Amino acid sequence: MKLSVLDQSPILADTSTQDALHQTTQLAKLADELGYHRFWVSEHHSTESLAGSTPEILAAHLAGQTKQIRIGTGGILLPHYSAYKVAEAFRVLETLHPDRIDLGVGRAPGGKPNVNLALNNDRFPNIEGYPKQIQDLMGYLHGEDPQNMDILATPKGESAPPIWMLGSSGTSARLAADVGASYSFAHFINGRGGSKAMERYMNFFTPSIQQKEPIGNVSVFAVCAETDEEAEYLAASLDLALLKIEQGRKINRFPSPEEALHHSYSIFEQEQIQENRGRMIVGSPGKVKQEIELLAESYLVDEVIINTIVSPFKERLKSYELLAKAFDLKKN
């Protein structure tokens, strides 16, 4: 089975935005060395706790800092942008790093409602046009002129980055199937219904210029430590962060485990934390490995993308190291 990484460039306790981006670079290098399959970075806007706002720029930097791991976006929020412009940006990346680039796309706003207006010249994006955007994007990436405007996305090349459609619902799964793209389900966002969405994608997949068979993966929060007790201690910080985000409370840093353990939780908040644990896998290497394998089996996929947000940063690195060892990943 393949393991991959999703990194949102979280700003941890007692760190800066610059630290967060340096940590993303350090983590990508480690993932490359450990034998992880992909490394994706996300797009978030006006979000003080996450530093990743322009994944195409960060992906270009990371591809130059790594050797073999696939680098991609998880993902470009396509309704905000021109399919043609995105295609050219990724044609440049593909030309610089052939067969190592993934183009993950989504349709979420990526932040507060007003982000939509700020990114679209005071207009709301055309969400209804998203399926056509995907088709145009795929055409441009593969040297076609989908709108018959006598233009090509340059630079031209022998290979094209695959489009991965990101989603957390059955609607996105069916669209990915209809256009013949790869599909990634965000279990770390929605812990319910994902396996059914993936099954829908597999069953309705239509071959395309990009690929002939369905290809899927699933992403999940995971915290791995030497013991279950240590993992639970570290995961407490993510528990508190998710709780605050869901309550609409502003956070500019992810809390430390100590802060989380000293927080006074109501009964309702304790129940919400347990609900959120459905989006997380927490424990010792053996336990986490087993649960990741069960998750992959339920989704009918052979790749799981790990998103680990714990503090301090060295514990994030160690979590990925323990997982690589548990799955016997081949070091580069």
Side-chain angles (χ1 to χ4, degrees):
M1 193 176 76
K2 296 186 288 286
L3 285 188
S4 297
V5 178
L6 170 64
D7 185 66
Q8 298 173 288
S9 301
I11 303 170
L12 305 179
D14 300 321
T15 66
S16 67
T17 54
Q18 188 174 37
D19 291 332
L21 293 178
H22 284 317
Q23 288 169 0
T24 292
T25 304
Q26 189 175 343
L27 180 56
K29 289 180 176 180
L30 177 66
D32 189 24
E33 294 170 2
L34 292 175
Y36 281 85
H37 184 56
R38 310 178 198 277
F39 192 97
W40 285 357
V41 289
S42 60
E43 178 174 345
H44 295 276
H45 300 285
S46 191
T47 304
E48 293 188 31
S49 58
L50 300 172
S53 58
T54 52
E56 65 276 27
I57 293 177
L58 191 51
H61 168 70
L62 297 176
Q65 294 288 315
T66 53
K67 298 177 181 178
Q68 298 187 49
I69 193 170
R70 295 191 65 87
I71 299 294
T73 53
I76 297 292
L77 304 180
L78 192 58
H80 294 315
Y81 313 116
S82 153
Y84 181 69
K85 178 59 178 177
V86 172
E88 290 208 314
F90 279 79
R91 284 240 46 90
V92 169
L93 281 172
E94 181 70 16
T95 303
L96 290 170
H97 307 281
D99 297 316
R100 285 189 57 212
I101 302 300
D102 294 325
L103 172 47
V105 298
R107 61 179 179 178
K112 303 173 183 177
N114 283 343
V115 163
N116 283 309
L117 299 176
L119 287 171
N120 292 277
N121 296 316
D122 294 325
R123 297 188 298 271
F124 286 102
N126 178 20
I127 302 298
E128 291 74 19
Y130 181 62
K132 180 65 165 59
Q133 275 193 298
I134 296 291
Q135 293 172 328
D136 289 347
L137 179 60
M138 189 177 292
Y140 284 130
L141 288 170
H142 289 267
E144 296 181 347
D145 181 14
Q147 296 197 41
N148 297 313
M149 297 176 65
D150 194 28
I151 61 173
L152 297 173
T154 55
K156 296 171 65 176
E158 302 258 335
S159 60
I163 295 174
W164 281 82
M165 292 188 64
L166 316 180
S168 56
S169 70
T171 301
S172 57
R174 184 56 190 265
L175 179 56
D178 288 344
V179 301
S182 298
Y183 182 61
S184 181
F185 190 88
H187 188 92
F188 75 99
I189 293 176
N190 177 15
R192 297 178 181 273
S195 59
K196 291 293 185 183
M198 187 62 71
E199 183 180 7
R200 188 179 188 185
Y201 164 71
M202 298 286 185
N203 289 340
F204 290 95
F205 180 83
T206 301
S208 66
I209 191 174
Q210 173 174 297
Q211 63 196 67
K212 303 306 179 188
E213 301 290 338
I215 302 174
N217 63 35
V218 56
S219 52
V220 64
F221 283 125
V223 179
C224 187
E226 294 284 0
T227 65
D228 290 344
E229 292 76 17
E230 184 180 358
E232 288 290 338
Y233 168 75
L234 294 171
S237 60
L238 183 55
D239 288 333
L240 178 58
L242 294 177
L243 186 64
K244 286 184 174 182
I245 291 169
E246 289 170 342
Q247 292 173 340
R249 296 162 65 184
K250 186 176 180 180
I251 64 170
N252 55 19
R253 298 288 188 280
F254 280 82
S256 67
E258 292 80 7
E259 180 183 346
L261 291 173
H262 284 91
H263 185 83
S264 179
Y265 297 95
S266 68
I267 294 177
F268 174 80
E269 288 175 331
Q270 292 173 8
E271 292 175 348
Q272 188 59 39
I273 286 173
Q274 290 307 308
E275 176 72 16
N276 284 336
R277 282 301 183 97
R279 302 188 273 155
M280 300 166 60
I281 296 175
V282 178
S284 60
K287 178 183 177 183
V288 174
K289 180 177 185 290
Q290 182 180 36
E291 292 193 25
I292 287 175
E293 290 174 337
L294 289 173
L295 183 70
E297 182 180 347
S298 71
Y299 274 83
L300 304 175
V301 298
D302 67 352
E303 179 184 3
V304 176
I305 301 179
I306 306 302
N307 183 2
T308 300
I309 303 178
V310 296
S311 184
F313 179 60
K314 66 178 183 179
E315 298 298 341
R316 290 186 70 207
L317 296 179
K318 186 176 180 181
S319 181
Y320 284 108
E321 289 172 338
L322 290 172
L323 278 179
K325 185 176 180 181
F327 279 89
D328 196 24
L329 298 185
K330 185 178 179 180
K331 291 188 175 182
N332 294 321

